[in-house]
Amino acid sequence: MKLVVVYDTGSLAPTRIAEAAAEIDCEVVFAVADSDHGRAMRPTLELVGAVVPADAVTDLKAHRPDGIVTFSEHQLAPTVALAEALDLPYHAAADIDAITRKDRQRARFAQAGLEAIRFRTLTSVDQVDEAVAHVGVPAIIKPVLGAGSRNTTVVHTLEECRQWAAEALATEESVLLEEVLVGRPTDGPWADYIAVDCVATGEQVRPVFVTSKFALAEPFRERGGYGGRSVVPPEEVREVEDLACRAVRALGIRRGMADVEIKLTAAGPRVIEVNGRLGAWVDDLAIRSSTSDPAAVAVRSAVGVDFDLAPRYDGPIAFHYVVIPPLWATEVRSLRGVARLRRTPNVERIAVLTAPGASVDWRMGTRSHAASVLGRVDDHDQLAETIAAIEEVDWIDYR
């Protein structure tokens, strides 16, 4: 049995993919994107599987693969085209726009009776006045394509919208203006939104793992998440899981994984967006919390092998917390206390993601994170104390 993994930025670790595949005697064939990351990773990929350029269809056919998957947001559309060329089941070409474009998602959700959020797609500042008249303010402006909170902010006036649309459209082909989903009041460090990773097998869509979130940094910068037990009550989690599965079905996803973000509002859960692949940190959080095995589910579903979906909630709470620069920061001045950060109770590992002299820009979203802090705790009170302790460590200076 062989699985084609279209590999690029954002993918699971190659060793983790190979480990999940080896459990079912499945060989991995990495179809590597022609990107800086793909080229840099080729030597590592060759240690755990066959490596073929992603555009070498004839060579990939020679491997006679049984399935195909990607864990990279950038490679969703190319993977659809490659799946068609290899005659393998994956997202349908007719659905890929709705899976990757946030405006097409909104239209699909409305057609399915799932959501009716006001929105407009902007490709020019000339369209702003009509868009604001339709959507109203306050509103969110964000890229139509992409992930990682890039160029995402809230606008409160027509003039603000003109300003931010002009700035965003300087680097984006199009942006989405949509009404703000107002979250219910939520005490920190917890967030008023949550994510559910689901797996689709034909018409059946089932939840795999729930990632509870930490409160956003302004304006919409993600601070990470935790699992498997949530501060959100179990009956509400089940409601969120049901909505997430319906959102996945509405987009036509019939094979593989999808990550669904849900806003928790006073009127109930509302869909924020769907990503047509396994969510960031999900596999790591699930494994470290002994809850489930998303990588195994992704691999097995891709090649049509049965998988276990019986999550456990009697293990520790695993967290992945992101340290984010202040909104005003433009450059990292110094790192002078990383060891103190490592000594924070309940922290198992940190990854410093920046260096002195590095530029900082909140508009870049996840690409301007300062550090990732990983660990495990026994309960939510201990988690809240740990997050507060992390934020109190004086280890980095900005200008």
Side-chain angles (χ1 to χ4, degrees):
M1 187 181 302
K2 293 185 179 181
L3 170 67
V4 172
V5 177
V6 182
Y7 186 88
D8 200 1
T9 303
S11 291
L12 276 179
T15 51
R16 182 70 182 106
I17 298 169
E19 174 189 288
E23 292 176 356
I24 54 171
D25 295 321
C26 179
E27 298 177 33
V28 178
V29 181
F30 291 101
V32 183
D34 185 23
S35 65
D36 290 344
H37 181 73
R39 288 187 291 272
M41 287 296 294
R42 280 187 69 100
T44 301
L45 297 171
E46 288 169 351
L47 295 174
V48 293
V51 177
V52 178
D55 59 358
V57 176
T58 300
D59 292 345
L60 287 166
K61 282 183 177 179
H63 283 276
R64 302 181 66 182
D66 301 280
I68 189 169
V69 69
T70 189
F71 299 96
S72 171
E73 181 74 23
H74 307 291
Q75 294 302 317
L76 286 171
T79 302
V80 167
L82 189 55
E84 284 199 331
L86 298 175
D87 194 26
L88 294 172
Y90 190 62
H91 303 326
D95 297 318
I96 192 60
D97 270 0
I99 293 169
T100 57
R101 291 181 59 97
K102 296 177 178 66
D103 52 353
R104 302 289 169 81
Q105 281 192 17
R106 285 296 174 209
R108 280 283 186 96
F109 295 155
Q111 291 169 6
L114 208 62
E115 286 286 358
I117 288 178
R118 298 185 304 277
F119 72 92
R120 279 289 188 269
T121 305
L122 303 175
T123 57
S124 167
V125 178
D126 295 339
Q127 299 168 321
V128 168
D129 288 26
E130 189 279 332
V132 170
H134 174 73
V135 174
V137 288
I140 293 175
I141 191 166
K142 59 185 178 181
V144 166
L145 289 167
S149 306
R150 184 185 74 249
N151 285 329
T152 301
T153 192
V154 62
V155 292
H156 298 88
T157 66
L158 175 60
E159 188 54 41
E160 276 189 3
C161 190
R162 289 175 182 151
Q163 174 190 340
W164 285 112
E167 188 164 324
L169 288 170
T171 55
E172 310 282 353
E173 288 188 6
S174 56
V175 295
L176 184 71
L177 186 75
E178 66 178 18
E179 66 175 290
V180 174
L181 287 175
V182 179
R184 67 189 184 196
T186 304
D187 293 332
W190 322 122
D192 59 5
Y193 74 111
I194 196 168
V196 182
D197 277 74
C198 307
V199 61
T201 309
E203 293 298 319
Q204 186 179 37
V205 181
R206 291 170 286 172
V208 176
F209 186 76
V210 173
T211 304
S212 301
K213 300 288 187 174
F214 297 117
L216 292 169
E218 292 185 352
F220 287 99
R221 295 180 293 167
E222 187 167 2
R223 279 196 172 110
Y226 66 94
R229 286 171 281 146
S230 177
V231 293
V232 178
E235 62 275 12
E236 189 172 2
V237 169
R238 288 191 289 271
E239 185 181 2
V240 166
E241 289 176 331
D242 178 69
L243 177 60
C245 291
R246 286 189 286 133
V248 170
R249 279 192 291 269
L251 296 183
I253 296 174
R254 297 295 181 267
R255 183 74 166 236
M257 303 290 294
D259 177 75
V260 188
E261 290 191 350
I262 304 286
K263 192 76 166 180
L264 304 174
T265 78
R270 305 280 300 275
V271 179
I272 299 173
E273 65 184 40
V274 176
N275 300 298
R277 39 80 188 166
L278 186 66
W281 317 315
V282 169
D283 183 67
D284 173 67
L285 289 174
I287 294 299
R288 289 193 295 116
S289 63
S290 303
T291 302
S292 61
D293 193 338
V297 173
V299 166
R300 292 175 185 227
S301 65
V303 294
V305 172
D306 289 340
F307 46 83
D308 179 24
L309 272 185
R312 296 173 52 189
Y313 295 102
D314 56 356
I317 298 172
F319 66 87
H320 184 131
Y321 186 73
V322 179
V323 179
I324 293 180
L327 206 57
W328 52 263
T330 59
E331 183 182 327
V332 176
R333 187 168 64 186
S334 66
L335 304 180
R336 51 183 171 69
V338 175
R340 290 195 297 275
L341 189 61
R342 295 185 193 280
R343 290 195 296 267
T344 305
N346 305 312
V347 168
E348 299 172 334
R349 186 167 82 250
I350 73 166
V352 177
L353 306 174
T354 190
S359 62
V360 175
D361 186 346
W362 67 265
R363 298 166 187 80
M364 298 306 294
T366 55
R367 290 172 59 186
S368 276
H369 289 170
S372 291
V373 184
L374 285 67
R376 284 178 288 188
V377 296
D378 295 325
D379 55 46
H380 297 112
D381 288 342
Q382 196 176 55
L383 179 55
E385 292 168 1
T386 300
I387 299 306
I390 291 169
E391 286 293 344
E392 287 173 3
V393 176
D394 186 13
W395 68 279
I396 184 170
D397 290 324
Y398 303 96
R399 56 165 59 95

